[in-house]
Structures are given as structure tokens and as C-alpha cells.
Amino acid sequence: MPADSLTGHVIVCGLDDVGLRTVEQLYHAGVRVVVVEDDADPRLVRVVRGWGVPIVVGSPRLRETLDEAGLPDAVAVICVLADDLHTLEAALLMREQRPEVRVVVQLRNPAVGRALADMQISVLDVAGLSAPSVVEACLRTGSHELDLDGHRFVAAQVTIDFAGTLRSRYGSLAPLAITPADGGEVVISPGRDQQVRPGDQVTLLGTPEELAAARVIDDGADRGDAVPGRWARGMRLAGSVVRAMDRRIAYAMIALILLLNVSILVLQLGYREPDGTRMTLLDAVYFSVESIATVGYGDFNFRDQQPWLRVFAIGLMILGACFAATFIALITNVLVSLKIQEALGNRLLDRLSDHVVVVGIGSVGVRVVERLRAAGTDVVVIEADENNRYVDEVRDSGVPVVIADATLPRTLDRVQLASARAVAVLTSDDLVNLETGLAVRDRLGERWGSVPVVLRLFDRTLAATVERTFGLGLARSTAALAAPWFVGAALGLDVLATFYVGSRLMLVGRLTVASGGGLDRLAMRDLSARTRVVAIRRDDVLEHPPRRDTRFAAGDEAYLIGPYEELLQVLRRDADVRRGGRPAEGR
């Protein structure tokens, strides 16, 4: 939509990472944008000005700067400053100046975020929005779970093993994309009669039951993100204790067992009840344990027994107490040693296998570690800065942290790279991530290609060059994953999810068709060919899959998936018409 069709504009405060991607997506969606930044990178300034987007140089925490950016006439403000305190101050000022304007902010502190949410300020966390895509790439789940109006759907990837059409094998399942085996361009939203060849990768959308029936997934196989239960965690702890045991514990245990058996034998042979009967086996075991533990409940005693048996009882209590104390002390020492080793990030690194190596633990890295752990996957972290504020948090969760340079072979060997299942390089520096990725490739040797290596790269040109020239890993942009959420929140649109299909970023959105709007009575087939309507809620009934000749009607809730550039246009099409050229003012 032409920019001059809008009477309002969106202010974006901050031009790093998410800020630039947000400005880019607003620009391509036809929304007028004004950027506020007091210390911008000159390269980014040139890019933004090349789009014709004005930049106001100044602090968004000052009224004068916001007035110059046109806050009185703005329809929304997006604040993505690097400092949470500055973001908080700017958001409060904006709310004070324009109580009715839509304010969307990026915050890492959940407590502050909840406080702002109570003030009708939309709070988004980039790390939380982007971490699932990184975890999916590491674990090669090939699936992305979606919640559409309380109904569970899965976008699952499958490798084609036949030549023919998608319809011939997968019936009515909705194909989202085809990644050709020959490395050609990804085909977005192909038809069900699209021809495919063995080796092609197809992403299909359906309910878990539909995908299981078509043998795309195993029933329950896509539930890999379930949190491991107490039994699983207990078994892992028991295994760690057993591996950490030394011979002294074994000797103490053997001594206790021998003493217990001797005591049972002696009591059965020599102990006499007041009526002259011998002690039963169960009573002998009970009295032996009672004596070794020095408990003495008074139900049995040696006072009326023969002198030799009373002397034996003295020795039994002394030896039993010594052996029991030694055994407990050794076990306590093992548990304390395990805790210390975990805190230092050295917990049996040489025994790691089938784990994920995470390089860099910023806000994104911490979320990725949390989700990997929740999926039951062992993780080891490499961090160069020992003063990183997240180090203690990760160590307290039981994840070993190695403070070292991840580009050194010695460091990679120390974290058992040779037996790792995946590597995620997540520092905030593109060049450091590239250098680390190349070092990982060299060290993996023959395993390169079979081990997923996920790189966090902000620069999309660099990401494309890396994948094309070096064949290096899976480039994931956290800013690109999160930006559509900021755009959707600013424009009053429902963005439900973002995820990658190959190298293409896909967006899942929901809209309610307005009476007389741009989508009212429009046939689904008249939408962009690269946008797929996966479900429609009409009269409290969710229609999935909808028929291709279905026409939208006022009040329908439509769920759509497609490339974010085109889907944003579709999501705004209805809102702009019913608002007379302005973005929708409410969700």
C-alpha cells in the first residue's frame, strides 16, 4: 500500500538488531515509519535513509525528541533499546504523553515486563520468541507446534521417497513448502498436485492425528519437548553418584554387609528368648540393624544373654557405628563433590555424549539452554567472559559451563565435540560466530554435515554468503524471527508464531474479517498464491482444511501461514480498509 495512504505513522526507537528488521518490515508493508536513535551505526543509518525513512537523532527519553518524531500523530511506538532501564523510562514517558497510543517494547526482565503490561503496554522478549526455532534446528525435530484457537497443529518436515504428486501420497494435508533436493529455490505454498522427486523435503501442516495417519510423524514423536519427570531426573542423579563412587565407598559397604551377616548368624545361633526359643531370621535382621544403627528401642537386649554374646554386642555396636559413619561420610563427600564440580562447569565432561554444545550465553543462549534441558537433552556451554551475568544462572541449573575460547581446538575437545549431537553458536557478534563455526567445522572433520551447526547471524547478506560459499551450518536471525511480532503488536494484528522452512522465514497470523473490509466476500483463491489459509472459524466451528472456493465473510476468524512480507500485507488489507487507510486500532 502506498505510504501516502496512511494518515498516521509508527515510531521505532532503537536501530540495532530487532529495530532495523522492524523498520524494514514496516517499510515493505507500506507503513510510514520514523526512527528515533541517538547513537546509531552509520551503516544502518545509510540503509534506513536509503528506504526514505526519516531518522530523528536524539534520546527517546526526552519529550522534545518524541515531539520531533511526531508522537502526537503516531498510531504506535515500538521501543527496542538495548538497555532495559532506558526502555522503561521511554515507555513511561510515551504513556504519559499519549495514553491512547499503542506502545510495544522489548524487555528482558520479566518482573518489569509484567508491571508494564498492567499499563496496557505490549511487552515482547526477543530471546523467548526466537529460542524455539534454534532448538528445533539443533534437535532436528523437523516439526513446529502451533496452537490455532485451542486446536493443536504441527508443521512437520518429511523427506520424499517417491516420485509423483503430493496429493497421491499425503491427500488433503496442506503443503507449506518444498525444499528441492538439488538445492533449488524453496517453493512456498505449493499445490497438492505439485510434482516432487525423491530427496525433496516437504513441510506439511495438519493435526497430529492427520500427520500420524499419513505416516509423516510417529504418534507422540512430536512431543519431544515434554519436561522430564522426577523419575528421569532422579535416575540421572543416581547415575552420576554411581559413576563418582570410588573404592573406599565399596569397601565401607562390603564391611557393613559382612558385619550385618555375621551378626544375623550369631544371633540366630546364640540368642535365646526368655522362654528359651531361638530368634527368627526376621528378628535377627531387625535386631542387627537396630544395634549397628545404635537405636535401641528396648524390644530386644543383651542383658540376660551369655557373657560371650554380650561382648560380641559391644564389638557389634562399636564396629557398626564406625562403618556406618564412614559410609555416610563418603557418600556425603561424593554428593558435595558433584555439586562443586557442577558449579565449576567440570561435571564429568569426559563422559558427555549425544549432547548439545551452546557457545555464548546471552539472553538468547539462556533460553535455548532452558528449552534443550526441558526436552531432556544434555547441554554444555562455552562462554568466553567469566563475568557474564548469566553464568551463575546456568551453573545453578546443573549445566556445566566452560570459560574458554570456543575457537580453540583444545576447548572443543574438552566439551567432547566429537560425540555432540548439535552445536549452537549464539554470541551477539556475527564475526565471532562465523569464526567459531569455521573452527567447529574443522574439528568435526568427517562428521561435518551430519551434525547440525546453528549460527546466530544478524546480517542477512552475510548469512546467505556463509550458507552458499562455506556451506556452513544453519543461519538463524533472532531479529528476523522476532520483528514480525513487534510489527503485528504495533498494528493491532495477531501474530501467532514465526519459524523457518529451510532458509525462508514463515509467519502464522490470525485475523477477524470485518464487514465491508478488504477481505469481506473475497474468495480464498484470490489471495496471494504464497499465502495459505489453514483454517477458518465460522459460527463457532473450526473448518480445517477450508475449501478452496470458500469466501471470507464478516466475523470469520482466518488462520494464515506464509512468508512474513506477504502475510503482513494480507493481515493489514482488511484492517486498512475498515479504518479508512489507518492500521487497526484494536485487537
Side-chain angles (χ1 to χ4, degrees):
M1 177 173 292
D4 57 7
S5 67
L6 298 176
T7 58
H9 61 281
V10 175
I11 300 174
V12 177
C13 302
L15 200 54
D16 291 338
D17 297 344
V18 178
L20 180 63
R21 295 290 172 242
T22 301
V23 172
E24 179 184 29
Q25 292 183 18
L26 287 168
Y27 166 74
H28 287 300
V31 180
R32 288 200 293 126
V33 190
V34 176
V35 173
V36 176
E37 177 62 83
D38 59 352
D39 187 24
D41 186 327
R43 296 174 301 171
L44 303 183
V45 170
R46 286 195 295 271
V47 171
V48 170
R49 285 182 172 157
W51 295 330
V53 174
I55 298 179
V56 176
V57 178
S59 171
R61 295 173 290 156
L62 300 176
R63 288 184 174 86
E64 296 79 4
T65 304
L66 295 177
D67 289 341
E68 184 180 351
L71 179 61
D73 298 321
V75 296
V77 182
I78 300 175
C79 193
V80 286
L81 302 176
D83 189 290
D84 277 3
L85 181 60
H86 292 173
T87 299
L88 174 62
E89 186 177 353
L92 294 177
L93 177 60
M94 296 165 191
R95 178 56 71 224
E96 179 183 353
Q97 293 292 101
R98 286 280 311 279
E100 76 283 2
V101 75
R102 184 177 292 110
V103 179
V104 186
V105 301
Q106 170 190 229
L107 277 177
R108 301 165 186 83
N109 188 309
V112 178
R114 287 190 292 270
L116 289 183
D118 292 338
M119 301 174 60
Q120 303 304 310
I121 294 176
S122 299
V123 180
L124 298 176
D125 176 19
V126 172
L129 296 174
S130 56
S133 181
V134 176
V135 172
E136 288 166 13
C138 287
L139 301 183
R140 283 185 169 174
T141 58
S143 64
H144 186 94
E145 291 198 14
L146 304 172
D147 183 354
L148 305 184
D149 193 39
H151 294 77
R152 184 165 171 257
F153 287 79
V154 179
Q157 189 178 83
V158 62
T159 301
I160 296 297
D161 57 2
F162 66 95
T165 65
L166 292 173
R167 189 188 302 275
S168 65
R169 173 67 180 272
Y170 301 114
S172 61
L173 285 177
L176 299 181
I178 299 175
T179 304
D182 58 8
E185 185 177 353
V186 176
V187 180
I188 302 296
S189 297
R192 294 182 177 86
D193 294 322
Q194 176 81 27
Q195 292 286 331
V196 289
R197 296 173 297 176
D200 291 349
Q201 290 187 328
V202 178
T203 302
L204 299 159
L205 180 75
T207 65
E209 294 76 18
E210 291 171 341
L211 294 172
R215 293 176 297 178
V216 174
I217 62 173
D218 294 328
D219 190 20
D222 55 302
R223 296 173 174 84
D225 59 347
V227 177
R230 294 182 179 180
W231 282 104
R233 293 194 294 270
M235 291 299 293
R236 286 200 295 269
L237 175 61
S240 298
V241 172
V242 171
R243 289 195 297 269
M245 285 184 178
D246 56 24
R247 292 183 179 180
R248 293 174 299 174
I249 295 179
Y251 293 155
M253 183 179 292
I254 291 172
L256 273 174
I257 293 173
L258 287 176
L259 182 62
L260 181 64
N261 281 282
V262 170
S263 174
I264 293 170
L265 180 62
V266 170
L267 288 175
Q268 281 195 287
L269 294 177
Y271 192 92
R272 294 290 185 275
E273 298 286 355
D275 59 0
T277 61
R278 294 182 182 274
M279 181 174 281
T280 65
L281 176 61
L282 180 59
D283 285 344
V285 173
Y286 170 76
F287 192 23
S288 297
V289 174
E290 185 181 61
S291 300
I292 292 174
T294 65
V295 176
Y297 292 110
D299 43 5
F300 294 100
N301 62 73
F302 289 95
R303 184 178 61 183
D304 298 325
Q305 301 300 314
Q306 299 180 35
W308 71 268
L309 193 56
R310 296 170 69 182
V311 172
F312 170 79
I314 295 173
L316 174 65
M317 288 183 283
I318 293 175
L319 289 177
C322 290
F323 290 157
T326 300
F327 179 77
I328 293 172
L330 291 173
I331 287 291
T332 303
N333 180 63
V334 168
L335 294 174
V336 172
S337 297
L338 282 174
K339 186 63 178 177
I340 293 175
Q341 288 175 341
E342 287 177 352
L344 295 177
N346 296 318
R347 185 176 64 89
L348 303 174
L349 288 176
D350 58 332
R351 296 181 182 272
L352 284 172
S353 180
D354 198 35
H355 56 289
V356 176
V357 178
V358 176
V359 181
I361 46 170
S363 57
V364 176
V366 167
R367 293 300 184 91
V368 170
V369 169
E370 289 175 354
R371 295 186 73 93
L372 287 170
R373 291 271 292 171
T377 303
D378 289 331
V379 185
V380 61
V381 170
I382 303 176
E383 171 57 45
D385 182 10
E386 63 181 347
N387 296 317
N388 185 307
R389 63 175 179 166
Y390 295 106
V391 168
D392 290 340
E393 178 182 345
V394 173
R395 282 176 172 164
D396 289 344
S397 69
V399 174
V401 179
V402 176
I403 305 298
D405 184 349
T407 63
L408 299 178
R410 179 178 58 186
T411 303
L412 298 176
D413 291 342
R414 185 180 177 191
V415 298
Q416 304 302 313
L417 179 65
S419 59
R421 67 183 296 182
V423 181
V425 186
L426 305 174
T427 78
S428 57
D429 190 314
D430 280 4
L431 293 180
V432 171
N433 291 343
L434 176 57
E435 182 182 5
T436 304
L438 292 171
V440 169
R441 182 181 70 172
D442 291 343
R443 209 61 187 165
L444 282 174
E446 294 181 356
R447 295 189 69 214
W448 175 257
S450 62
V451 176
V453 178
V454 184
L455 303 181
R456 177 189 179 186
L457 294 177
F458 168 72
D459 191 307
R460 290 194 302 180
T461 303
L462 176 62
T465 302
V466 165
E467 290 189 344
R468 182 175 61 254
T469 305
F470 295 106
L472 186 59
L474 303 166
R476 291 290 181 265
S477 170
T478 55
L481 284 163
W485 295 81
F486 285 87
V487 173
L491 301 181
L493 308 173
D494 284 332
V495 176
L496 303 180
T498 54
F499 61 97
Y500 276 96
V501 173
S503 60
R504 292 306 305 268
L505 181 63
M506 303 289 282
L507 184 115
V508 184
R510 173 179 58 194
L511 64 84
T512 300
V513 179
S515 177
L519 298 180
D520 192 6
R521 303 189 62 79
L522 182 74
M524 283 195 337
R525 60 175 175 269
D526 294 333
L527 287 177
S528 168
R530 288 153 58 88
T531 300
R532 183 173 295 281
V533 182
V534 297
I536 293 179
R537 170 168 284 281
R538 177 178 293 172
D539 299 327
D540 293 329
V541 176
L542 188 71
E543 182 184 343
H544 164 76
R547 297 182 301 277
R548 185 164 177 76
D549 59 353
T550 298
R551 290 183 177 272
F552 294 108
D556 287 351
E557 281 191 350
Y559 296 86
L560 307 97
I561 296 181
Y564 72 88
E565 303 97 332
E566 299 183 29
L567 193 54
L568 282 176
Q569 290 284 4
V570 175
L571 289 171
R572 292 191 65 238
R573 180 175 181 174
D574 189 65
D576 284 343
V577 171
R578 77 172 186 268
R579 291 292 176 180
R582 293 176 63 92
E585 291 294 331
R587 292 182 68 169

